[in-house]
């Protein structure tokens, strides 16, 4: 459990569970005069701030991570096949009925909650609604980024009102306008009282994200964006926003941490000065964070003989292991001669970790007495060729795997099958957390200072004027230096920045966003390969299908093109 901070939240004080298209929602305020005490404001806002804790803690992550080149969703002779939803994400063969991309309504419900608070506080003319307006903008951005066209919900829906989707470009412009308006109204203190809540710098970070992706979001269609002809009128705005965050002096790459790894440990929190915005979790009082379950080697709970697993203890619950790092991204992560970030990656021989210090030891991890060695290349089980146990796509074996093994990306239910692909310990697991429904207490970073430095470097490299004596090279080397990686001696290329973003922000839900902007989303990686059955390379896959349940409710909507 966390000992550095306890967040007692008033989740449930606002009983708003309807989606944004629930036409029974009444727009009237609940109070004749809004109670303006600090406690009353917190009671109203808590459910808005933390509404997406469950979605961000699992399903949103699945969609973002598995559709990128970071992770491949595999299965083990039926274990974690789950109807093929993880494999579908990895192959861009998204399904409108998949739980991994089926969280539209949950995000939309957060917008309704924010709008109710805004009404109860007297409307947008009350400057005190700025934080609720930020949450509304943030939730709208999630929908726009992931699903494309979405309603601009700047009010509570009245009885009988038909809700229509707006073009993605219009939604992006509306969100940007909202953020520009509320940035001066948001708090500038960065401390325990604002941790996990919107500040000026949180809004600036989101706006910088929107502006660096401006050509993506404002293209005439999702298929029209071409990274090779990236032309962005907002690059100077990106630099200005980044500069305000940098010059505030409130953030740091290293302060509050003991090296890169510690930023993501179960005891992370407001003391990590790299965190501009994070979602707080606690395995008992603020549940929902379940990143490690699919990332842990399938039997890594223990050693198979009653002893500890590689986390240094028996973590008390079974693990999944159905996410493996793609070979292509493994090469990115392990590319530098020295790099503290590589300590998060389980590559080759797995070693034990100290359960108290979380440090890696020199003791090999064994399962039933045998050391476990992970393979970088992920091979599928081959049932059709008795002379070959596993099939590495592209090796032209005499017979392909069975259709089911391809559909579910099945690697087999044994040590060899479980060991296909590298794993991660970035979000370290402790027994005290995991025994509580496999929940973790690791807070999830959403916007980090390191991201801002790399975003400014990218904007300068793309053509924005350098400011404050900072160049793309100097910003890039700030990142390299603090993780003890080699500095570069010349200006980075855009591909250098893209790769560095991958290493720095691995497993933080930004890779899909980056891949689309840099023009790599339709690349080949993992089993997302041309000629692989069910793999898709259509540009329409840059956004997810609208979930079928959402379409059933909103009968005036049409499914996204390509689905």
């Amino acid at each position: 459990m966390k000992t550095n901070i306890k967040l007692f939240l008033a989740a449930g004080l606002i009983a708003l569970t309807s989606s944004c298209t629930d036409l029974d929602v009444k727009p009237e305020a609940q109070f004749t005069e809004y109670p303006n005490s600090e406690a009353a404001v917190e009671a109203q806002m808590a459910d808005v701030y933390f509404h997406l804790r469950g979605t961000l803690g699992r399903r949103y992550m699945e969609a973002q991570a598995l559709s990128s080149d970071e992770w491949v969703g595999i299965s083990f002779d039926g274990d974690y096949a789950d109807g093929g939803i993880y494999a579908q994400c990895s192959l861009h063969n998204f399904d409108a009925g998949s739980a991994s991309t089926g969280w539209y309504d949950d995000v939309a419900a957060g917008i309704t909650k924010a709008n109710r608070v805004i009404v109860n506080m007297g409307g947008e003319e009350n400057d005190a609604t700025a934080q609720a307006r930020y949450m509304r903008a943030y939730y709208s951005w999630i929908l726009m980024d992931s699903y494309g066209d979405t309603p601009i919900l700047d009010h509570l829906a009245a009885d009988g009102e038909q809700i229509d989707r707006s073009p993605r470009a219009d939604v992006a412009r509306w969100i940007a306008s909202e953020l520009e308006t509320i940035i001066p109204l948001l708090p500038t203190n960065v401390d325990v009282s604002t941790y996990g809540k919107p500040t000026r710098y949180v809004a600036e970070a989101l706006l910088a994200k929107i502006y660096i992706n401006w050509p993506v979001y404002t293209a005439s269609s999702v298929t029209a964006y071409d990274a090779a002809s990236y032309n962005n009128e907002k690059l100077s705005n990106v630099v200005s926003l980044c500069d305000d965050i940098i010059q505030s002096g409130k953030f740091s790459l290293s302060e509050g941490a003991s090296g890169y790894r510690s930023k993501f440990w179960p005891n992370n929190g407001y003391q990590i000065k790299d965190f501009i915005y994070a979602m707080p979790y606690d395995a008992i009082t603020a549940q929902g964070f379940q990143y490690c379950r699919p990332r842990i080697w399938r039997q890594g709970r223990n050693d198979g003989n009653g002893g500890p697993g590689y986390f240094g203890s028996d973590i008390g619950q079974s693990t999944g292991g159905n996410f493996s790092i793609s070979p292509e991204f493994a090469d990115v992560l392990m590319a530098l001669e020295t790099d503290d970030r590589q300590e998060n990656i389980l590559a080759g021989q797995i070693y034990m970790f100290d359960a108290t210090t979380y440090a890696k030891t020199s003791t090999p991890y064994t399962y039933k007495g045998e050391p476990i060695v992970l393979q970088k290349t992920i091979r599928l089980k081959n049932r059709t060729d008795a002379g070959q146990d596993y099939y590495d796509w592209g090796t032209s074996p005499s017979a392909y795997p069975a259709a089911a093994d391809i559909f579910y990306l099945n690697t087999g239910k044994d040590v060899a099958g479980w060991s296909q692909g590298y794993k991660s310990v970035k979000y370290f697991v402790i027994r005290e957390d995991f025994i509580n429904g496999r929940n973790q207490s690791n807070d999830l970073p959403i916007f980090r200072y390191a991201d801002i430095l790399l975003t400014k470097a990218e904007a300068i490299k793309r053509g924005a004027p350098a400011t404050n004596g900072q160049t793309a090279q100097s910003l890039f080397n700030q990142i390299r230096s603090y993780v003890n990686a080699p500095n570069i001696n010349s200006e980075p290329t855009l591909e250098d920045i893209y790769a560095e973003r991958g290493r720095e922000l691995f497993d933080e839900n930004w890779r899909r966003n980056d891949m689309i902007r840099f023009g790599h989303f339709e690349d080949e990686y993992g089993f997302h390969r041309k000629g692989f059955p069910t793999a898709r390379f259509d540009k329409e896959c840059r956004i997810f299908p609208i979930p079928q349940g959402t379409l059933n409710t909103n009968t005036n909507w049409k499914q996204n093109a390509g689905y």
Side-chain angles (χ1 to χ4, degrees):
M1 299 304 103
K2 280 189 170 61
T3 57
N4 59 319
I5 180 173
K6 292 290 183 183
L7 296 175
F8 296 96
L9 307 176
L13 287 178
I14 307 173
L16 303 174
T17 57
S18 59
S19 76
C20 63
T21 52
D22 184 346
L23 302 185
D24 293 327
V25 171
K26 301 295 184 183
E28 296 84 16
Q30 294 178 342
F31 305 102
T32 303
E33 181 177 349
Y34 181 75
N36 59 6
S37 70
E38 183 177 347
V41 172
E42 283 297 302
Q44 283 278 304
M45 287 300 301
D47 198 31
V48 179
Y49 291 146
F50 307 113
H51 167 75
L52 274 194
R53 180 174 275 131
T55 296
L56 291 175
R58 182 181 177 187
R59 295 301 191 184
Y60 176 83
M61 168 275 292
E62 290 175 357
Q64 306 300 324
L66 290 173
S67 65
S68 77
D69 63 354
E70 289 183 336
W71 294 100
V72 178
I74 59 176
S75 67
F76 314 114
D77 286 352
D79 279 0
Y80 290 92
D82 289 9
I85 62 174
Y86 311 118
Q88 288 167 358
C89 283
S90 294
L91 299 171
H92 294 186
N93 188 24
F94 305 111
D95 188 310
S98 170
S100 290
T101 55
W103 33 267
Y104 186 103
D105 287 349
D106 194 23
V107 182
I111 298 174
T112 297
K113 292 181 179 184
N115 275 328
R116 175 59 61 86
V117 169
I118 292 168
V119 169
N120 285 344
M121 294 179 70
E124 294 178 5
E125 60 270 22
N126 181 357
D127 291 352
T129 64
Q131 289 180 300
R133 291 173 69 181
Y134 169 81
M135 297 308 301
R136 181 177 67 183
Y138 173 59
Y139 294 155
S140 297
W141 168 79
I142 289 177
L143 294 180
M144 181 271 294
D145 177 73
S146 295
Y147 296 100
D149 298 352
T150 193
I152 296 175
L153 291 161
D154 56 359
H155 63 285
L156 280 172
D159 287 344
E161 179 180 350
Q162 178 174 289
I163 302 299
D164 295 313
R165 297 166 72 191
S166 295
R168 191 188 206 190
D170 291 350
V171 180
R173 293 186 181 99
W174 174 75
I175 297 171
S177 177
E178 272 287 281
L179 293 173
E180 293 278 12
T181 299
I182 65 174
I183 281 171
L185 307 176
L186 289 166
T188 57
N189 56 308
V190 178
D191 52 36
V192 65
S193 70
T194 57
Y195 186 67
K197 303 172 186 176
T199 65
R200 173 189 180 96
Y201 312 107
V202 171
E204 288 178 332
L206 177 57
L207 188 55
K209 284 287 184 185
I210 292 172
Y211 281 159
I212 198 70
N213 285 289
W214 200 245
V216 178
Y217 295 150
T218 60
S220 58
S221 73
V222 71
T223 64
Y225 171 71
D226 182 2
S229 57
Y230 181 98
N231 182 25
N232 191 343
E233 66 196 76
K234 299 292 189 179
L235 290 176
S236 293
N237 300 72
V238 173
V239 170
S240 178
L241 290 162
C242 292
D243 278 346
D244 197 60
I245 296 171
I246 294 168
Q247 292 180 308
S248 73
K250 297 178 184 291
F251 304 99
S252 163
L253 291 174
S254 300
E255 186 178 347
S258 300
Y260 180 85
R261 286 189 62 223
S262 71
K263 296 181 186 184
F264 312 98
W265 286 348
N267 58 359
N268 65 352
Y270 76 96
Q271 76 277 9
I272 307 294
K273 298 304 181 185
D274 187 24
F275 290 3
I276 298 172
Y277 183 41
M279 180 61 71
Y281 287 92
D282 183 274
I284 295 177
T285 63
Q287 296 181 339
F289 190 77
Q290 297 188 344
Y291 273 39
C292 267
R293 182 183 184 186
R295 290 160 173 79
I296 301 172
W297 188 73
R298 180 67 178 92
Q299 304 298 337
R301 163 188 171 173
N302 54 36
D303 68 355
N305 290 318
Y310 58 79
F311 289 102
S313 65
D314 183 329
I315 56 176
Q317 296 278 351
S318 64
T319 59
N322 58 305
F323 286 15
S324 288
I325 299 171
S326 78
E328 292 77 12
F329 198 72
D331 287 339
V332 173
L333 292 171
M334 309 304 287
L336 304 180
E337 184 177 353
T338 58
D339 186 347
D340 291 348
R341 297 168 297 196
Q342 294 175 5
E343 296 174 7
N344 284 322
I345 309 305
L346 300 183
Q349 169 72 61
I350 299 180
Y351 289 88
M352 297 291 290
F353 289 82
D354 186 292
T356 301
T357 66
Y358 313 149
K360 184 178 180 179
T361 74
S362 59
T363 303
Y365 164 68
T366 61
Y367 177 71
K368 294 187 176 179
E370 297 297 325
I372 298 302
V373 180
L374 304 181
Q375 307 300 315
K376 183 178 75 170
T377 300
I378 303 172
R379 297 175 171 86
L380 301 184
K381 186 171 183 178
N382 186 354
R383 294 177 179 173
T384 62
D385 180 3
Q388 180 173 337
D389 294 328
Y390 291 93
Y391 172 52
D392 180 7
W393 194 263
T395 58
S396 300
S398 59
Y400 288 167
D405 295 322
I406 292 175
F407 184 80
Y408 296 111
L409 299 184
N410 179 35
T411 61
K413 191 176 181 179
D414 54 22
V415 169
W418 298 325
S419 303
Q420 300 297 311
Y422 293 167
K423 304 294 183 182
S424 168
V425 292
K426 182 165 181 173
Y427 299 103
F428 197 91
V429 170
I430 59 174
R431 175 181 172 82
E432 291 85 349
D433 285 349
F434 210 65
I435 58 176
N436 289 289
R438 301 183 183 86
N439 287 287
Q440 299 172 242
S441 295
N442 318 63
D443 292 353
L444 173 67
I446 297 173
F447 299 127
R448 289 206 285 122
Y449 184 62
D451 192 347
I452 292 301
L453 297 182
L454 288 170
T455 299
K456 181 178 178 181
E458 179 184 339
I460 293 171
K461 187 62 186 178
R462 291 188 183 276
T467 60
N468 302 323
Q470 293 175 323
T471 65
Q473 180 182 351
S474 69
L475 291 160
F476 189 96
N477 280 337
Q478 282 190 58
I479 301 297
R480 285 287 183 88
S481 294
Y482 99 98
V483 294
N484 297 306
N487 281 3
I488 57 173
N489 298 317
S490 59
E491 285 292 304
T493 66
L494 282 175
E495 286 301 300
D496 290 335
I497 294 172
Y498 171 68
E500 196 66 23
R501 289 186 60 80
R503 286 184 281 269
E504 179 64 28
L505 302 170
F506 167 57
D507 226 4
E508 296 178 43
N509 299 319
W510 287 116
R511 186 64 171 178
R512 168 186 163 272
N513 184 281
D514 288 349
M515 293 185 81
I516 294 170
R517 182 173 71 259
F518 281 90
H520 290 296
F521 195 64
E522 287 84 37
D523 287 357
E524 295 183 282
Y525 40 86
F527 293 100
H528 183 247
R529 299 194 175 279
K530 294 177 181 178
F532 190 92
T534 74
R536 292 189 60 184
F537 290 82
D538 309 270
K539 293 180 180 178
E540 287 88 350
C541 296
R542 293 171 179 176
I543 55 175
F544 305 131
I546 301 295
Q548 190 58 51
T550 304
L551 292 177
N552 293 342
T553 300
N554 301 279
T555 56
N556 55 310
W557 292 13
K558 293 182 179 179
Q559 181 57 272
N560 285 335
Y563 297 106

